[in-house]
């Protein structure tokens, strides 16, 4: 089950794990989220749907990663 929400500027917010999760589980959850988000692309949308992806802790700094890299794993 994947639940995410977006705001008015098109930013999507999603929680994919907790500190207690193993790194493999976090990676698996992130990949499932990106696949679900990519599959929800509207048919009328043209071009690249996911331009950039940034992950962060609740109050931490963001780390930018490539959506294509996540999908290839």
């Amino acid at each position: 089950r994947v639940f995410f929400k977006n705001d008015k500027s098109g930013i999507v917010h999603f929680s994919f794990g907790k500190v207690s999760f193993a790194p493999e589980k976090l990676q698996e959850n992130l990949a499932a989220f990106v696949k679900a988000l990519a599959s929800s692309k509207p048919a009328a949308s043209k071009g690249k749907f996911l331009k950039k992806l940034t992950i962060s802790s609740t109050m931490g700094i963001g780390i930018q990663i490539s959506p294509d890299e996540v999908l290839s794993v």
Side-chain angles (χ1 to χ4, degrees):
R1 186 184 75 149
V2 177
F3 173 75
F4 53 90
K5 61 182 178 176
N6 63 329
D7 58 14
K8 293 178 184 178
S9 61
I11 298 173
V12 178
H13 302 273
F14 174 73
S15 175
F16 65 94
K18 297 182 179 189
V19 174
S20 61
F21 286 13
E24 298 81 23
K25 187 66 175 170
L26 290 171
Q27 186 175 10
E28 179 183 318
N29 288 349
L30 180 61
F33 163 67
V34 173
K35 286 178 186 176
L37 190 60
S39 68
S40 68
K41 175 182 175 181
S45 175
K46 295 181 182 177
K48 192 166 183 170
F49 189 60
L50 296 174
K51 294 185 180 181
K52 67 180 181 177
L53 181 65
T54 305
I55 60 173
S56 71
S57 63
T58 302
M59 296 297 287
I61 60 170
I63 300 171
Q64 192 169 359
I65 57 176
S66 170
D68 299 328
E69 210 173 278
V70 173
L71 288 173
S72 67
V73 173

